[in-house]
Amino acid sequence: MNKKFLFSLVVAIFLGTAVGKYFYDETSAKTVFQEDEIIFLQQGVYTDKNNMEENIKRIDPKVVVHNEDKYYVYVGITKNQKNAKKIKDIYDKKGYDIYEKVLSVSSEEFKNNVEQFDLLLEKATKEEEIMTINEVILANYEQTLQKS
């Protein structure tokens, strides 16, 4: 065999393997995220209930989750990074620091609902529309928590 041909063959195999691994890693990570995890937009975590109530009285909509002596305040829930940015930008304009927290949710019904509401959020352009859809998602999460 020709050395030039052999060298080309080795390079082609190496590049093919590298490109294949890259695409496999990219699609695997996205699939896992889309199926199991949801972005929660968190305003804060509080240990004192009175302090929490004082700090969030002007924030609407929101969901407060009490877990292990802490109060978690969520102002948005989505599976879509662009939708998270839309919601976060609204709260940023109002002067609130919002953090993204990725959580796994076991309720298939809730995950399906989030996907449906995400479709609406993608098309929403006005702040009022975005916040109305967001309010429904948060209320749906609150109902899911009450069921469990």
Side-chain angles (χ1 to χ4, degrees), residues 64-85:
V64 177
V65 177
H66 184 231
N67 188 9
E68 296 181 13
D69 296 328
K70 292 184 182 178
Y71 298 89
Y72 299 85
V73 179
Y74 300 118
V75 296
I77 301 173
T78 182
K79 284 182 138 185
N80 180 306
Q81 192 63 47
K82 288 181 183 177
N83 289 342
K85 182 172 175 12

Side-chain angles (χ1 to χ4, degrees), residues 14-28:
F14 175 78
L15 287 176
T17 303
V19 170
K21 181 178 180 346
Y22 171 79
F23 283 115
Y24 176 79
D25 290 345
E26 286 296 310
T27 57
S28 294

Side-chain angles (χ1 to χ4, degrees), residues 51-67:
N51 185 29
M52 182 253 327
E53 289 172 345
E54 182 64 29
N55 284 335
I56 67 169
K57 62 183 167 184
R58 290 196 173 103
I59 298 176
D60 199 40
K62 63 189 168 284
V63 170
V64 177
V65 177
H66 184 231
N67 188 9

Side-chain angles (χ1 to χ4, degrees), residues 67-112:
N67 188 9
E68 296 181 13
D69 296 328
K70 292 184 182 178
Y71 298 89
Y72 299 85
V73 179
Y74 300 118
V75 296
I77 301 173
T78 182
K79 284 182 138 185
N80 180 306
Q81 192 63 47
K82 288 181 183 177
N83 289 342
K85 182 172 175 12
K86 278 185 186 182
I87 297 167
K88 192 174 177 192
D89 286 349
I90 291 170
Y91 283 103
D92 285 346
K93 281 193 263 177
K94 294 179 180 184
Y96 296 105
D97 291 325
I98 305 300
Y99 306 94
E100 290 184 17
K101 185 174 182 179
V102 178
L103 299 172
S104 293
V105 176
S106 60
S107 170
E108 288 299 321
E109 179 182 353
F110 180 70
K111 288 188 279 189
N112 291 334

Side-chain angles (χ1 to χ4, degrees), residues 86-87 90 93 120-134:
K86 278 185 186 182
I87 297 167
I90 291 170
K93 281 193 263 177
L120 294 173
L121 272 174
E122 285 176 25
K123 294 177 183 170
T125 56
K126 296 180 183 172
E127 183 177 313
E128 185 179 329
E129 294 171 336
I130 295 166
M131 294 308 282
T132 299
I133 296 165
N134 188 45

